[in-house]
Amino acid sequence: MPFKADLDAIDWKILKELQSNGRMTNVELSRRVGISAPPCLRRVKRLEDSGIIHGYRALLDTRQLGFDVVAFCLIGLHHQSDAELKAFAEKTRGWPIVRAAWMVSGESDFMLHCVASDLATFQSFVIEELTSAPNVDTVRTALTIRQVKDEGLVGI
């Protein structure tokens, strides 16, 4: 499969290292990928400027912060016109409980990753916000039991 980006082996090493630990210093990163610090920093800057690296964030333990419910919602819309799909996608941005959202193919139109403090909060969201949203036809929910894998989003 051809890659969309023109990356060499060092670029791939940089991406792999930063995906596993985005807080390491440039000196440590350069040591791990086998080049000196200045060209390493230039490569990281190029990867950022090109949009391949589009941000850094801390990964938080939801349970320690009091967010005990993680769930997925599969949403079917009545109508799938471009305007309706865009309208629902925009609506998801305003729901803090929705942490990630994907437009999907198949029986559903959207899949939402939701995190809530408790089951009652999640249920209220589903009943009062999600099912009453314009153009929503079906809502199927799946409460998670425990996370069994958490890797970076790209297998490098």
Side-chain angles (χ1 to χ4, degrees), residues 34-47:
I35 61 174
S36 63
C40 185
L41 188 59
R42 282 192 297 273
R43 283 175 178 260
V44 170
K45 178 82 168 109
R46 182 177 51 82
L47 292 166

Side-chain angles (χ1 to χ4, degrees), residues 104-134:
V104 296
S105 64
E107 293 181 26
S108 299
D109 298 304
F110 286 87
M111 182 170 67
L112 310 180
H113 173 213
C114 300
V115 178
S117 57
D118 53 58
L119 188 56
T121 301
F122 176 69
Q123 288 171 327
S124 293
F125 165 72
V126 170
I127 294 166
E128 297 168 16
E129 298 284 335
L130 200 48
T131 60
S132 65

Side-chain angles (χ1 to χ4, degrees), residues 38-132:
C40 185
L41 188 59
R42 282 192 297 273
R43 283 175 178 260
V44 170
K45 178 82 168 109
R46 182 177 51 82
L47 292 166
E48 292 170 346
D49 290 346
S50 71
I52 292 171
I53 297 174
H54 62 90
Y56 300 88
R57 56 173 70 154
L59 301 175
L60 308 178
D61 186 317
T62 57
R63 294 199 191 281
Q64 288 192 50
L65 295 171
F67 293 91
D68 292 328
V69 175
V70 177
F72 291 90
C73 299
L74 293 169
I75 312 302
L77 302 179
H78 287 290
H79 308 286
Q80 293 80 22
S81 69
D82 188 51
E84 295 287 356
L85 293 168
K86 286 178 180 174
F88 186 81
E90 185 60 34
K91 188 120 180 101
T92 67
R93 291 181 184 91
W95 289 324
I97 201 168
V98 176
R99 304 312 305 156
W102 296 267
M103 188 181 300
V104 296
S105 64
E107 293 181 26
S108 299
D109 298 304
F110 286 87
M111 182 170 67
L112 310 180
H113 173 213
C114 300
V115 178
S117 57
D118 53 58
L119 188 56
T121 301
F122 176 69
Q123 288 171 327
S124 293
F125 165 72
V126 170
I127 294 166
E128 297 168 16
E129 298 284 335
L130 200 48
T131 60
S132 65

